[in-house]
Amino acid sequence: MKLKFYFLFFILSFSSFGQVKMDSLKAPIMTSKFALALHGGAGNMVKRKFTPSEEEAYKKVMDEALVLGYSMLEKGATATDVVEAVIKVMEDSPLFNAGKGAVFSNEGMNEMDAAIMNGKDLKCGAVTNLRKVKNPISLAKEIMNNSQFVFLNGEGAEKFAKLQGIEIVDTSYFFVQKRWNEMLKIRDSSKTQLDNEGSSGAIDDLDSINKFGTVGCVVLDGYGNIAAGTSTGGITNKKFNRIGDSPLIGSGTYANNESCAVSCTGHGEDFIRLVAAHQVHSYMFFKHKNVEKAAEIVIKKELTGIGGRGGLIAIDRQGRITFQFNTTGMFRGSIDTKGEKFVAIY
Amino acid sequence: MKLKFYFLFFILSFSSFGQVKMDSLKAPIMTSKFALALHGGAGNMVKRKFTPSEEEAYKKVMDEALVLGYSMLEKGATATDVVEAVIKVMEDSPLFNAGKGAVFSNEGMNEMDAAIMNGKDLKCGAVTNLRKVKNPISLAKEIMNNSQFVFLNGEGAEKFAKLQGIEIVDTSYFFVQKRWNEMLKIRDSSKTQLDNEGSSGAIDDLDSINKFGTVGCVVLDGYGNIAAGTSTGGITNKKFNRIGDSPLIGSGTYANNESCAVSCTGHGEDFIRLVAAHQVHSYMFFKHKNVEKAAEIVIKKELTGIGGRGGLIAIDRQGRITFQFNTTGMFRGSIDTKGEKFVAIY
């Protein structure tokens, strides 16, 4: 042990000849133990809903996002940078209900929410009701890093985005014909429902991926830090500028190096009532449950117990990953600490 | 035991002669054990800041709110109805930073947030960025009771308010000269600060009551249920439609019959990072701390630990009340289960 120490001292002394690289000496030591997981929403997914080529399309985007995130981790990227990059890939795809593929509200608008949290220092950033920011997750990260505030809203958030050089696009960028048709179908069928979803056949028929198709990512980086992020277009045909759980720290998104990083997807109102992401943390922090058991209790017991539907992904500092959902499926994928890749829908 | 049962059966049978009052038979039994507490914000309050008559004015409003709430409890009102009524009294006063007395944002607007939660069933309602709703807490309660959503935002929330018959006022209703002057003073002095509060003397000089003057209420009703509510104008000179912790379930407001009801006040960003209200619950639920100890750990240890400032009030199902703050003062008051009233500032 002592010999190793002297050897290290020798190397460090040697490397300080010539130009002293203080930055690299100060930098945290990176290990090869890193991992990440993502989701693209949980919902009522049954095989008959997708053609093989549709399944392939979803898997391809998830695969691309995972490979990008993992290659960044190999090169020493931090957890929050990887969370942002992975979510951006899914935001830029029209397949997922976030960014480009965001669903339409009752008023025919896209209203996007996102949040990110760093488990290392509990710093976080969140946004709601965005209409023109190409990548909501990037604005959330910008807020986390460069604002005195945590949670910005609508036009104010977009004003901050412009000041900080975050990419703004025309609202037409978010127009996806399929999403528009989905909204019209539900809006027309629920005209008489006012503010109560009820049990209309039309809504039951809705491809619930579009209700629950939030995207999220959790990461353990090579410095032993974890982070979580979530991005969503919310619920198709939503009214009254509804805010869901995704941008709410503790409900849809949470990360803490003392326990885990969590990103949720599902019927947001129930995740808010449970403060679900923080509840997973609490089972680990206070009851010493492992990440899988903690997440399982929150989804299978507590969420199911209040009649809620959805799922979550979580990772701990050992890189253990869990996918939990009480729906028939969840778009999900991971690359674990051994480098093994996993992608699934049902 | 059996005798008592037969006696009860006899009484019930007897009362069913004539008109059967099924509703009253089903109604939960009310006890005489109820209590409530309120706060009007925590901050840097030192005696020299207030004249005796100013102190009296604050205490008078708190007293009025407490007496109203207690008389409602005596008459059998539910916890959430009392939370709403108590907070309305403070919202209607120009002294507190909520409703009528809401502070101005950097753009010279009032942007109000509120939330309410019922510990009995975890139902909750929240609003942010209101500009025209006279009593934000009433809209939060309406959402809790009559919306499929939990959290509504800005114009959408106000559209829902109109549909539901919640009182809308002209924005001029919220104009209070003192608040306007405060905003101008800070805005002018922080022109060069952009998005960083820094340590400007001008801001340090600010009467921080106006930064932290959120109002809140926690109640144990005669049916053994607890509830919490919070209402705020946010931070003077806030920008970018900032959302604080008050309307965030789990951060600024939380109630659960399994533990406690909590309302927070202070530098909201830090309460969000801690998911503070739910953290108080967690110390009780998972670690079996009493309400005072749980709240003390969160404020004195955790909030102080991350450099945050503020306070909270909490109540449990036995009617135990705690006031915790790491600032020099908090407007606060209570009437406990013995009917004893308490009102204080420092």
Side-chain angles (χ1 to χ4, degrees):
Chain A
M1 202 63 195
K2 253 191 172 168
L3 254 176
K4 269 189 194 167
F5 176 76
Y6 286 126
F7 181 70
L8 185 69
F9 185 78
F10 173 77
I11 295 290
L12 291 179
S13 307
F14 184 80
S15 71
S16 70
F17 280 107
Q19 196 184 4
V20 181
K21 290 183 180 171
M22 287 307 288
D23 277 353
S24 64
L25 288 180
K26 271 190 220 160
I29 294 157
M30 195 189 142
T31 73
S32 60
K33 196 173 169 185
F34 41 77
L36 79 162
L38 59 77
H39 69 76
N44 180 24
M45 295 159 195
V46 283
K47 281 241 174 203
R48 65 172 168 77
K49 285 196 177 170
F50 300 105
T51 64
S53 71
E54 280 172 337
E55 284 184 12
E56 268 321 297
Y58 280 105
K59 285 184 176 173
K60 190 167 165 255
V61 178
M62 292 193 281
D63 193 276
E64 188 192 325
L66 286 170
V67 169
L68 171 66
Y70 197 77
S71 73
M72 287 175 70
L73 288 168
E74 286 180 312
K75 287 173 198 143
T78 63
T80 51
D81 282 348
V82 174
V83 164
E84 181 199 12
V86 166
I87 288 181
K88 273 179 84 167
V89 172
M90 290 191 286
E91 283 179 342
D92 289 345
S93 160
L95 294 176
F96 298 97
N97 176 16
K100 173 75 182 156
V103 299
F104 285 92
S105 74
N106 184 267
E107 291 86 9
M109 299 298 299
N110 305 104
E111 298 167 356
M112 292 162 285
D113 303 341
I116 192 166
M117 187 162 188
N118 192 344
K120 182 185 171 188
D121 51 16
L122 304 183
K123 282 198 176 176
C124 45
V127 283
T128 185
N129 211 25
L130 300 183
R131 295 181 169 187
K132 296 184 204 165
V133 173
K134 189 182 177 206
N135 291 107
I137 194 68
S138 298
L139 180 53
K141 200 184 98 177
E142 184 67 23
I143 290 166
M144 174 177 71
N145 289 334
N146 295 308
S147 168
Q148 68 177 306
F149 304 123
V150 161
F151 195 5
L152 301 184
N153 184 2
E155 287 175 23
E158 291 181 336
K159 197 172 151 189
F160 178 74
K162 274 177 208 159
L163 283 174
Q164 302 296 116
I166 297 288
E167 189 174 355
I168 304 285
V169 291
D170 189 82
T171 53
S172 63
Y173 166 79
F174 300 102
F175 186 85
V176 174
Q177 189 68 47
K178 184 171 172 276
R179 296 293 192 212
W180 182 257
N181 297 345
E182 287 162 358
M183 184 275 293
L184 289 183
K185 185 183 162 194
I186 306 171
R187 189 167 71 177
D188 293 344
S189 71
S190 63
K191 259 181 189 157
T192 57
Q193 292 194 307
L194 292 173
D195 189 41
N196 201 325
E197 187 178 294
S199 56
S200 139
I203 287 182
D204 283 349
D205 284 350
L206 168 69
D207 182 348
S208 61
I209 295 149
N210 305 320
K211 276 181 79 175
F212 296 162
T214 298
V215 308
C217 177
V218 294
V219 172
L220 164 69
D221 68 22
Y223 313 102
N225 297 312
I226 53 178
T230 312
S231 180
T232 189
I235 296 180
T236 295
N237 195 41
K238 65 185 175 182
K239 293 178 188 175
F240 311 124
N241 302 127
R242 170 256 192 194
I243 302 175
D245 64 315
S246 303
L248 306 191
I249 298 300
S251 291
T253 306
Y254 186 74
N256 188 329
N257 271 6
E258 299 289 329
S259 54
C260 59
V262 183
S263 171
C264 301
T265 169
H267 186 246
E269 281 66 17
D270 295 314
F271 285 80
I272 295 174
R273 290 166 65 197
L274 293 178
V275 198
H278 191 255
Q279 184 77 336
V280 177
H281 153 82
S282 295
Y283 274 108
M284 292 183 70
F285 186 74
F286 291 111
K287 298 294 278 183
H288 311 296
K289 302 286 183 197
N290 65 38
V291 67
E292 186 178 358
K293 188 69 192 167
E296 189 192 339
I297 295 170
V298 171
I299 295 299
K300 300 279 169 65
K301 197 177 145 201
E302 301 194 355
L303 183 68
T304 304
I306 64 168
R309 286 194 307 149
L312 65 79
I313 56 172
I315 195 168
D316 69 9
R317 285 185 85 186
Q318 280 66 51
R320 282 182 291 241
I321 290 164
T322 185
F323 304 96
Q324 295 289 336
F325 49 99
N326 66 1
T327 49
T328 52
M330 178 163 79
F331 294 112
R332 63 200 185 278
S334 61
I335 302 182
D336 68 15
T337 52
K338 290 170 194 151
E340 276 179 35
K341 196 165 67 186
F342 164 79
V343 174
I345 301 178
Y346 311 105
Chain B
M1 202 62 193
K2 253 191 175 170
L3 256 176
K4 270 189 193 168
F5 177 76
Y6 285 126
F7 181 71
L8 184 69
F9 185 76
F10 173 77
I11 295 291
L12 291 179
S13 305
F14 184 79
S15 71
S16 71
F17 280 107
Q19 197 186 2
V20 181
K21 292 183 180 171
M22 287 307 290
D23 278 354
S24 63
L25 288 179
K26 271 189 219 159
I29 294 156
M30 196 190 140
T31 73
S32 60
K33 196 172 168 185
F34 39 78
L36 78 162
L38 59 76
H39 70 76
N44 180 23
M45 295 159 197
V46 283
K47 282 241 176 203
R48 65 172 169 78
K49 285 197 178 171
F50 299 106
T51 65
S53 71
E54 280 172 337
E55 284 185 11
E56 269 322 297
Y58 281 106
K59 285 183 176 174
K60 191 168 165 251
V61 178
M62 290 194 283
D63 192 276
E64 188 191 325
L66 287 170
V67 169
L68 171 67
Y70 198 77
S71 74
M72 288 176 70
L73 288 169
E74 284 180 313
K75 288 173 197 144
T78 62
T80 50
D81 283 347
V82 175
V83 164
E84 181 199 11
V86 167
I87 288 180
K88 271 178 86 167
V89 172
M90 290 190 285
E91 282 180 342
D92 290 344
S93 160
L95 293 177
F96 299 97
N97 175 16
K100 173 74 181 155
V103 299
F104 285 93
S105 73
N106 183 267
E107 291 85 9
M109 299 300 298
N110 306 104
E111 297 166 358
M112 292 162 285
D113 303 341
I116 191 167
M117 187 163 188
N118 192 343
K120 182 185 171 189
D121 52 15
L122 304 184
K123 280 195 176 178
C124 45
V127 282
T128 186
N129 211 27
L130 300 183
R131 296 182 168 187
K132 297 183 203 167
V133 173
K134 190 183 176 208
N135 292 108
I137 193 68
S138 299
L139 180 54
K141 199 183 97 176
E142 184 67 24
I143 291 166
M144 173 176 71
N145 289 334
N146 296 308
S147 168
Q148 66 176 306
F149 304 123
V150 161
F151 194 6
L152 301 184
N153 183 1
E155 286 176 24
E158 291 181 335
K159 197 171 153 189
F160 179 74
K162 274 178 209 161
L163 284 173
Q164 302 296 117
I166 297 288
E167 190 174 354
I168 303 286
V169 291
D170 189 83
T171 53
S172 63
Y173 166 79
F174 299 101
F175 186 85
V176 174
Q177 189 68 48
K178 183 169 172 277
R179 296 293 192 212
W180 181 256
N181 297 346
E182 287 162 359
M183 184 274 294
L184 290 182
K185 185 183 163 194
I186 305 169
R187 190 168 68 179
D188 292 346
S189 70
S190 62
K191 259 180 189 156
T192 56
Q193 293 193 307
L194 292 174
D195 190 42
N196 202 326
E197 188 177 294
S199 56
S200 141
I203 287 183
D204 283 348
D205 284 348
L206 167 69
D207 181 349
S208 61
I209 294 149
N210 304 321
K211 276 182 81 175
F212 296 163
T214 298
V215 307
C217 177
V218 294
V219 172
L220 166 69
D221 68 21
Y223 313 101
N225 297 313
I226 53 178
T230 312
S231 180
T232 189
I235 295 179
T236 294
N237 194 41
K238 65 186 177 182
K239 293 179 188 176
F240 310 124
N241 301 127
R242 173 255 191 194
I243 302 175
D245 64 316
S246 303
L248 305 192
I249 298 301
S251 292
T253 306
Y254 187 73
N256 189 328
N257 270 5
E258 299 289 330
S259 55
C260 60
V262 184
S263 171
C264 301
T265 170
H267 187 245
E269 281 66 18
D270 295 315
F271 285 80
I272 296 174
R273 290 166 64 196
L274 292 179
V275 199
H278 191 255
Q279 185 77 337
V280 177
H281 153 83
S282 295
Y283 274 108
M284 294 183 69
F285 186 75
F286 291 111
K287 298 295 278 185
H288 311 295
K289 302 287 181 195
N290 66 37
V291 67
E292 186 179 356
K293 189 69 194 166
E296 189 192 338
I297 295 171
V298 171
I299 295 298
K300 300 280 170 64
K301 198 178 144 199
E302 301 194 355
L303 183 68
T304 303
I306 64 166
R309 286 195 307 148
L312 64 80
I313 56 173
I315 195 167
D316 69 10
R317 286 186 82 187
Q318 280 66 51
R320 283 182 290 241
I321 289 165
T322 185
F323 303 96
Q324 296 288 336
F325 47 99
N326 67 0
T327 48
T328 52
M330 178 163 79
F331 294 112
R332 63 199 185 279
S334 61
I335 302 182
D336 67 16
T337 53
K338 291 170 194 151
E340 275 179 36
K341 197 164 66 185
F342 164 78
V343 174
I345 300 178
Y346 311 106

